[in-house]
């Protein structure tokens, strides 16, 4: 170890108190806040059962910058920008910004691509899976089962020695790139704001109908995103880790946050009349159980191998983690493929090539999970 | 012999996974774990305590953490 400024942190109790959000109650509080904000964002204009959906919103961003031309899902979601910048602020404030990278970046990119494809066959990331359940969508219970199955397969690879390898310290500026891109996108949105009745403003696309046209006011979206980004960086909130840690370590810590999110969103949905139980006719959802299950199984496996749910990956980019940034860009590119190649589902059912893409994705992830081992 | 887990640069859940593996292997004694992020530090400490070991001391050196744990 290098010689340098060295100090001793006393016992674990003392320095755990330094970060109250890393405690059990801190995690529950963060889950509750995210759940309430998600339901309120929906109430204030975001799409139904989609107050926050990291995968859907990254897909909308891919559309807003024209990587795909699916007219109904194009909007530069400020929530995603807020997630990154809020986490970035927290990381700076608490001395946790550390530029790093180099842990199998291209494999992570591919995992991001397939995580997104799986999520778009189901129509939601783990966050939206829980929010759909909180809104009464029974199909999401099938999706949740798939998600857990995918994460469980991931834990088998971990037990068999899967290890994507180390990341290394990098130049500070390399960790700044992704947060700066997010800031740049937000500036672009201010320069080219939505013009009523037009599908383009400057270089940005804006949906005129469909989920992409449903959004809360920008100031509320960015504010909620910043707050969640800040809190999630402090608490390490992770929807994939919730199940992974339960399966792998019998540990409930992260799961408590996810349950809190579900409970809070459910209560707010009841209060504002957003709870509509059933399977058919659910908003931005389809009823094909097999592919709801397998789509989320693929997403869960990819998130598990990459070490974090799509939200957590965004929060890690705020800490300067370039590998997480590569995964996020993989998801955005995956969204473009999903819409350009007919892989994404719609309320009518799965896309013409969705099933084969999920199978290819499962094979690719299994290959990476089996072969990326490290003999230490 | 080398009761050191070097989890620097490893992403979730490797630091905890390697720590728990080592704890199961050792059963008792002393163990040193190296990590380089605050979240890995928190996760490893939580895992050590969950497995009925004790975190004796944490040294912070240039953004890296050296966690010393033991079980009698």
């Amino acid at each position: 170890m290098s010689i340098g400024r060295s100090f001793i942190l006393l016992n674990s109790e003392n320095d755990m108190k330094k970060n109250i959000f890393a405690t059990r109650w801190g995690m529950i509080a963060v889950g509750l806040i995210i759940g309430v904000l998600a339901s309120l964002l929906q109430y204030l204009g975001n799409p139904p059962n989609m107050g926050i959906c990291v995968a859907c919103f990254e897909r909308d961003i891919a559309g807003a910058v024209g990587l795909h031309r699916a007219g109904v899902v194009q909007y530069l979601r400020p929530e995603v920008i807020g997630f990154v910048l809020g986490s970035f602020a927290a990381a700076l404030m608490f001395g946790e910004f550390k530029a790093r990278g180099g842990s199998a970046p291209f494999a992570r990119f591919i995992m991001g691509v397939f995580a997104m494809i799986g999520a778009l066959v189901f129509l939601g990331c783990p966050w939206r899976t829980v929010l759909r359940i909180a809104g009464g969508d029974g199909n999401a219970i099938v999706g949740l089962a798939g998600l857990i199955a995918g994460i469980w397969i991931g834990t088998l690879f971990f037990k068999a020695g899967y290890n994507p390898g180390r990341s290394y310290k990098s130049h500070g500026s390399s960790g700044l790139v992704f947060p700066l891109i997010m800031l740049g996108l937000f500036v672009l949105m201010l320069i080219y704001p939505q013009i009523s009745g037009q599908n383009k403003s400057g270089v940005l696309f804006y949906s005129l109908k469909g989920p992409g046209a449903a959004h809360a006011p920008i100031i509320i979206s960015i504010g909620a995103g910043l707050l969640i980004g800040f809190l999630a960086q402090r608490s390490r909130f992770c929807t994939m880790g919730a199940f992974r840690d339960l399966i792998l370590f019998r540990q409930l810590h992260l799961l408590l946050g996810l349950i809190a999110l579900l409970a809070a969103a459910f209560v707010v949905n009841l209060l504002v009349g957003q709870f509509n139980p059933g399977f058919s006719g659910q908003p931005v959802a389809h009823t094909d159980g097999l592919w709801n299950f397998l789509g989320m199984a693929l997403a869960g496996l990819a998130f598990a191998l990459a070490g974090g749910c799509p939200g957590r990956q965004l929060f890690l980019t705020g800490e300067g983690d370039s590998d997480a940034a590569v995964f996020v860009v993989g998801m955005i590119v995956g969204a473009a493929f999903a819409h350009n190649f007919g892989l994404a589902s719609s309320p009518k059912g799965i896309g013409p090539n969705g099933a084969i893409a999920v199978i290819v994705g499962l094979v690719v992830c299994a290959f990476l999970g089996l072969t990326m081992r490290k003999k230490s | 012999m080398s009761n050191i887990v070097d989890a620097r640069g490893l992403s979730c859940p490797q630091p905890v996974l390697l720590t728990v593996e080592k704890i199961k292997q050792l059963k008792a004694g002393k163990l040193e774990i190296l990590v380089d992020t605050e979240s890995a530090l928190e996760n490893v400490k939580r895992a050590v305590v969950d497995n009925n070991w004790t975190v004796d001391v944490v040294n912070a050196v240039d953004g890296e953490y050296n966690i010393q744990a033991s079980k009698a």
Side-chain angles (χ1 to χ4, degrees):
Chain A
M1 248 190 192
S2 64
I3 305 159
R5 202 162 43 89
S6 170
F7 53 94
I8 292 175
L9 304 171
L10 288 172
N11 68 57
S12 57
E13 290 300 315
N14 275 341
D15 62 325
M16 269 296 189
K17 274 178 200 152
K18 197 177 62 174
N19 182 3
I20 52 161
F21 293 110
T23 62
R24 171 173 299 181
W25 286 107
M27 174 57 75
I28 291 172
V30 170
L32 291 173
I33 292 169
I34 295 175
V36 169
L37 287 176
S39 285
L40 290 180
L41 281 167
Q42 178 186 337
Y43 186 71
L44 293 169
N46 277 6
N49 293 351
M50 205 192 283
I52 296 166
C53 172
V54 180
C56 315
F57 286 6
E58 287 173 355
R59 180 264 323 269
D60 293 350
I61 289 175
V65 298
L67 293 177
H68 67 71
R69 301 297 166 93
V72 291
V73 284
Q74 296 177 313
Y75 181 63
L76 198 68
R77 297 278 176 188
E79 289 88 351
V80 169
I81 294 169
F83 278 16
V84 175
L85 297 181
S87 164
F88 178 58
L92 283 185
M93 204 178 287
F94 293 92
E96 287 191 38
F97 181 83
K98 278 178 196 167
R100 55 190 189 265
S103 167
F106 194 68
R108 288 176 186 272
F109 179 86
I110 294 300
M111 290 170 195
V113 168
F114 283 111
M116 179 61 95
I117 290 171
L120 291 179
V121 167
F122 165 68
L123 290 173
C125 69
W127 292 51
R128 185 171 189 243
T129 306
V130 173
L131 292 172
R132 279 173 61 173
I133 293 172
D137 181 347
N139 303 295
I141 297 171
V142 181
L144 181 68
L147 175 70
I148 295 170
I151 295 168
W152 174 72
I153 295 168
T155 64
L156 297 182
F157 289 127
F158 279 114
K159 283 180 183 166
Y162 167 79
N163 184 339
R166 289 183 206 281
S167 66
Y168 295 90
K169 262 187 214 164
S170 183
H171 303 289
S173 48
S174 75
L176 277 175
V177 172
F178 197 78
L180 285 176
I181 288 174
M182 287 291 129
L183 186 63
L185 287 177
F186 191 63
V187 170
L188 211 53
M189 200 176 189
L190 298 179
I191 296 173
Y192 301 119
Q194 188 166 21
I195 302 163
S196 180
Q198 292 191 27
N199 70 349
K200 218 176 166 198
S201 171
V203 297
L204 296 179
F205 291 90
Y206 287 92
S207 291
L208 292 175
K209 56 185 174 63
H215 53 80
I218 291 184
I219 184 79
I220 290 170
S221 293
I222 189 78
L226 286 168
L227 178 61
I228 292 172
F230 189 95
L231 294 174
Q233 193 283 331
R234 298 313 297 146
S235 67
R236 337 299 184 191
F237 181 85
C238 178
T239 59
M240 181 281 299
F243 297 106
R244 178 201 62 207
D245 287 357
L246 179 71
I247 298 166
L248 212 47
F249 307 124
R250 306 269 171 253
Q251 201 196 72
L252 288 169
H253 181 72
L254 291 170
L255 187 61
L256 290 173
L258 190 66
I259 292 171
L261 190 166
L262 172 66
F266 174 67
V267 169
V268 175
N269 282 345
L270 277 182
L271 290 176
V272 301
Q274 290 176 166
F275 182 74
N276 303 297
F279 280 84
S280 62
Q282 289 290 336
V284 202
H286 62 81
T287 56
D288 189 331
L290 176 66
W291 295 103
N292 277 331
F293 183 92
L294 289 176
M296 273 325 258
L298 170 58
L301 174 57
F303 294 135
L305 293 179
C309 78
R312 179 76 185 142
Q313 303 283 354
L314 288 172
F315 309 134
L316 285 170
T317 66
E319 295 179 11
D321 186 335
S322 301
D323 294 325
V326 170
F327 183 89
V328 172
V329 175
M331 284 189 71
I332 291 171
V333 171
F337 279 120
H339 284 281
N340 292 338
F341 290 1
L343 316 178
S345 298
S346 72
K348 289 178 205 133
I350 66 167
N353 301 314
I356 186 71
V358 168
I359 291 166
V360 170
L362 286 168
V363 170
V364 169
C365 286
F367 170 73
L368 294 175
L370 280 173
T371 53
M372 287 170 60
R373 296 188 208 212
K374 202 159 188 188
K375 301 149 208 116
S376 54
Chain B
M1 276 302 287
S2 68
N3 294 342
I4 296 181
V5 171
D6 183 358
R8 288 174 295 174
L10 296 179
S11 53
C12 274
Q14 298 294 342
V16 171
L17 198 62
L18 298 177
T19 300
V20 172
E21 264 175 24
K22 199 74 174 177
I23 279 178
K24 283 186 179 153
Q25 195 185 318
L26 292 172
K27 297 196 174 75
K30 283 186 181 297
L31 172 61
E32 202 176 320
I33 307 123
L34 309 177
V35 296
D36 61 357
T37 62
E38 194 100 357
S39 50
L41 170 66
E42 288 164 6
N43 292 340
V44 166
K45 285 198 299 191
R46 200 177 288 120
V48 166
V49 173
D50 282 354
N51 282 276
N52 301 315
W53 278 52
T54 313
V55 177
D56 297 323
V57 76
V58 177
N59 286 305
V61 183
D62 285 347
E64 295 186 353
Y65 303 94
N66 174 316
I67 305 159
Q68 289 170 26
S70 67
K71 186 178 182 176

